[in-house]
Amino acid sequence: MLEGANIKLSSVATDIMGVSGRAMIEALINGVNDPQTLSSLAKRGLMKKRMI
């Protein structure tokens, strides 16, 4: 469903139901669409990807 809406979360988070993925999905539901704001929700392993 996310891919159909042109949201490529799975290309960043291998487990979109993990802590970071759920936080980002919740933010999207609440209307957040700023990439920097969404990337600030990254936790643990995704933090490394965010720095690259």
Side-chain angles (χ1 to χ4, degrees), residues 26-34:
E26 184 174 336
L28 288 166
I29 290 169
N30 290 323
V32 176
N33 60 6
D34 177 51

Side-chain angles (χ1 to χ4, degrees), residues 32-52:
V32 176
N33 60 6
D34 177 51
Q36 287 187 324
T37 303
L38 292 170
S39 70
S40 71
L41 299 172
K43 307 287 185 218
R44 295 183 292 240
L46 281 182
M47 285 296 288
K48 295 175 189 172
K49 289 184 178 183
R50 194 180 104 174
M51 298 301 199
I52 295 175

Side-chain angles (χ1 to χ4, degrees), residues 1-48:
M1 183 175 223
L2 292 172
E3 294 284 326
N6 207 25
I7 298 170
K8 308 298 183 198
L9 184 57
S10 63
S11 66
V12 177
T14 54
D15 179 13
I16 63 168
M17 295 311 293
V19 175
S20 298
R22 287 193 323 259
M24 291 176 188
I25 291 170
E26 184 174 336
L28 288 166
I29 290 169
N30 290 323
V32 176
N33 60 6
D34 177 51
Q36 287 187 324
T37 303
L38 292 170
S39 70
S40 71
L41 299 172
K43 307 287 185 218
R44 295 183 292 240
L46 281 182
M47 285 296 288
K48 295 175 189 172

